[in-house]
Amino acid sequence: KKKFYVSLPSLKIFSQPSIRLSFFIFDNDPAVIKHTLALFENFPNYFCAAVVTDCESAIDEIYKLKPQLVIVGIPFDGKDNSLSFSAIAELHQYSESIPYFVALASTPNFAFDAIQSGFSDYLLKPLLLHQLGKCLFKFEKKNPTGGPETICIKSYSDYQFVPLQDI
């Protein structure tokens, strides 16, 4: 049996996994978009897939990009919100991969409609760092990303697969 030596610090297996999660912002207020993007800079495992300001483009981009997290500003453009709520409900009916929807509103008036339409969370403006952090932790808990269970170690010209639980 061949012996092999591994330098554990160089493997970085005990650090957080570097799986990047995509998010999508659907809002018409540039100040809110800028603030939300600034808050997400505190969470390096997340990247912005797109920012969209109209409902039709948002639905198209969600189908095309398939983000894991979608943040929707409510009320949208001061219009009847049935357009955005019905669009989210349609996604739940017709799409196989459904993102985690988060409503971002200035009042709690639309919370019931949002939850009925399939939103997973409802946050109030102005969005604070700890609110976003709690929302992201809930998202990660409901949608766990499976990290690697084994690693491959090269020993001379030979490769060994080692379960991480054995290290």
Side-chain angles (χ1 to χ4, degrees):
K1 204 172 189 182
K2 294 182 182 177
K3 290 186 179 184
F4 57 93
Y5 299 96
V6 177
S7 173
L8 288 178
S10 66
L11 289 176
K12 298 181 183 177
I13 60 171
F14 297 109
S15 64
Q16 280 286 359
S18 61
I19 297 172
R20 304 229 345 153
L21 303 167
S22 62
F23 69 92
F24 179 92
I25 299 177
F26 169 33
D27 203 333
N28 64 341
D29 186 357
V32 172
I33 292 170
K34 184 177 179 182
H35 179 68
T36 305
L37 288 171
L39 288 176
F40 265 102
E41 289 178 4
N42 294 297
F43 302 96
N45 287 347
Y46 290 87
F47 69 95
C48 183
V51 176
V52 177
T53 58
D54 65 284
C55 188
E56 291 78 24
S57 297
I59 299 302
D60 292 341
E61 292 296 316
I62 289 171
Y63 280 127
K64 194 175 2 175
L65 300 173
K66 298 187 185 328
Q68 288 114 340
L69 178 70
V70 177
I71 298 174
V72 180
I74 298 174
F76 201 76
D77 208 0
K79 300 176 187 171
D80 180 26
N81 286 303
S82 62
L83 180 64
S84 59
F85 288 140
S86 65
I88 303 304
E90 281 181 18
L91 276 174
H92 283 281
Q93 286 179 343
Y94 302 118
S95 181
E96 289 182 19
S97 64
I98 298 171
Y100 188 87
F101 285 97
V102 177
L104 185 59
S106 54
T107 66
N109 297 344
F110 302 104
F112 183 72
D113 294 331
I115 299 301
Q116 264 190 331
S117 299
F119 282 79
S120 300
D121 210 342
Y122 193 89
L123 301 175
L124 293 176
K125 297 176 190 176
L127 185 60
L128 301 174
L129 183 62
H130 74 278
Q131 289 174 325
L132 180 61
K134 286 193 303 187
C135 175
L136 296 178
F137 292 144
K138 279 193 265 185
F139 163 68
E140 290 173 5
K141 188 174 182 179
K142 287 185 179 180
N143 302 305
T145 54
E149 295 178 6
T150 61
I151 58 172
C152 180
I153 300 174
K154 182 178 179 181
S155 171
Y156 301 105
S157 62
D158 175 67
Y159 293 91
Q160 301 285 329
F161 289 94
V162 179
L164 285 178
Q165 65 188 16
D166 292 348
I167 296 179

